[in-house]
Amino acid sequence: MRIAIDGPAAAGKTTLARSLAQALGYLFVPTGAMYRAAALACKRGVALGDLDLQVREGGRILLQGEDVTDRLSSPDLDDLSSQVAVDSRVRKRLVEIQRAIAAGGDVVMEGRDIGTVVLPDAELKIYLWATEEERARRRHREQGGDFAQILAGIRRRDERDSTRPDSPLRPAPDAVVLDTTGMGPEEVLAQALKLVEERRAHLAR
Ligand code: DC
């Protein structure tokens, strides 16, 4: 089964995708981290044609053979990755890699365009949503810092990610929208597991 999880910034996609993949024994593919690694490559002056990105067990990201996973959540890469992601040449390259990974077996892939562009025929599509304020509160709890700045950053990224011409953020018509406002991660995982069960039962019919 290919499971696509899309949604706006800080909606909890990575947390859900990781725990769902673990629960099901599937490969976890964080495409947000791939765009962050592409942004890091850009900062380091790596030419797009030379970009070597690999996703390993547990969603670890190798850039030019180096494990850069622990560097990817820095706030400067929040904005830079969203800017790099507007470039169609970057998207084309990353989508190729993402499709090749999904062709290899069961995956839980999270991002912005998984259900719409990368895997339009995924067996299950979840669009994870929560209000801007709730998402900013969660980020603030995790990372600390200035709440108003975090909220503004989330708004800026959502605006850019959803208005770009190539693969804008939006729910696929056949995605299940999960409003997670007020929910904790365990409850979100339980709801997603229920959707997986329903989908499996439907596919077995
Ligand atoms: O999910 P994230 O915050 O780690 O993603 C970082 C940026 O990468 C996000 O602002 C937009 C971009 N992105 C994208 O355009 N398409 C994806 N499938 C995943 C992320």
Side-chain angles (χ1 to χ4, degrees):
M1 196 189 259
R2 290 156 305 166
I3 301 175
I5 299 177
D6 290 300
K13 300 182 297 294
T14 302
T15 304
L16 172 62
R18 186 192 297 280
S19 57
L20 193 57
Q22 206 162 25
L24 299 170
Y26 288 10
L27 184 65
F28 160 54
V29 187
T31 71
M34 294 175 74
Y35 283 93
R36 286 167 183 271
L40 186 59
C42 181
K43 266 178 84 168
R44 290 179 175 179
V46 177
L48 184 59
D50 297 332
L51 182 65
D52 174 15
L53 263 185
Q54 295 173 46
V55 180
R56 291 284 160 84
E57 203 57 42
R60 299 206 70 87
I61 306 287
L62 303 194
L63 170 62
Q64 314 304 105
E66 178 195 342
D67 189 330
V68 293
T69 318
D70 299 334
R71 299 173 179 223
L72 299 178
S73 46
S74 79
D76 68 316
L77 290 181
D78 284 355
D79 248 332
L80 193 59
S81 57
S82 169
Q83 286 166 23
V84 161
V86 172
D87 189 325
S88 289
R89 293 163 308 171
V90 174
R91 303 204 70 83
K92 189 162 176 277
R93 192 75 204 279
L94 265 56
V95 169
E96 267 171 25
I97 301 172
Q98 291 155 10
R99 287 187 178 144
I101 295 171
D106 298 317
V107 289
V108 182
M109 195 176 279
E110 65 80 25
R112 302 289 189 293
D113 60 340
I114 311 306
T116 51
V117 175
V118 181
L119 304 174
D121 51 356
E123 283 76 19
L124 175 63
K125 300 179 185 178
I126 298 174
Y127 190 84
L128 211 60
W129 193 84
T131 63
E132 288 173 348
E133 289 74 17
E134 166 104 3
R135 291 185 275 127
R137 265 196 303 274
R138 290 178 188 167
R139 251 313 128 84
H140 185 248
R141 229 180 288 132
E142 281 166 23
Q143 296 182 342
D146 182 66
F147 180 81
Q149 235 175 41
I150 293 174
L151 181 60
I154 284 177
R155 285 189 173 140
R156 195 166 55 238
R157 276 207 296 149
D158 284 354
E159 168 74 13
R160 193 185 296 118
D161 295 346
S162 52
T163 56
R164 66 179 175 229
D166 188 355
S167 315
L169 165 69
R170 63 183 49 142
D174 52 346
V176 180
V177 178
L178 246 181
D179 180 356
T180 70
T181 311
M183 279 190 203
E186 297 81 17
E187 194 180 349
V188 179
L189 173 63
Q191 296 250 3
L193 282 167
K194 219 164 84 188
L195 291 173
V196 171
E197 280 318 308
E198 285 168 12
R199 201 67 202 126
R200 276 182 174 157
H202 180 80
L203 292 169
R205 256 188 247 141

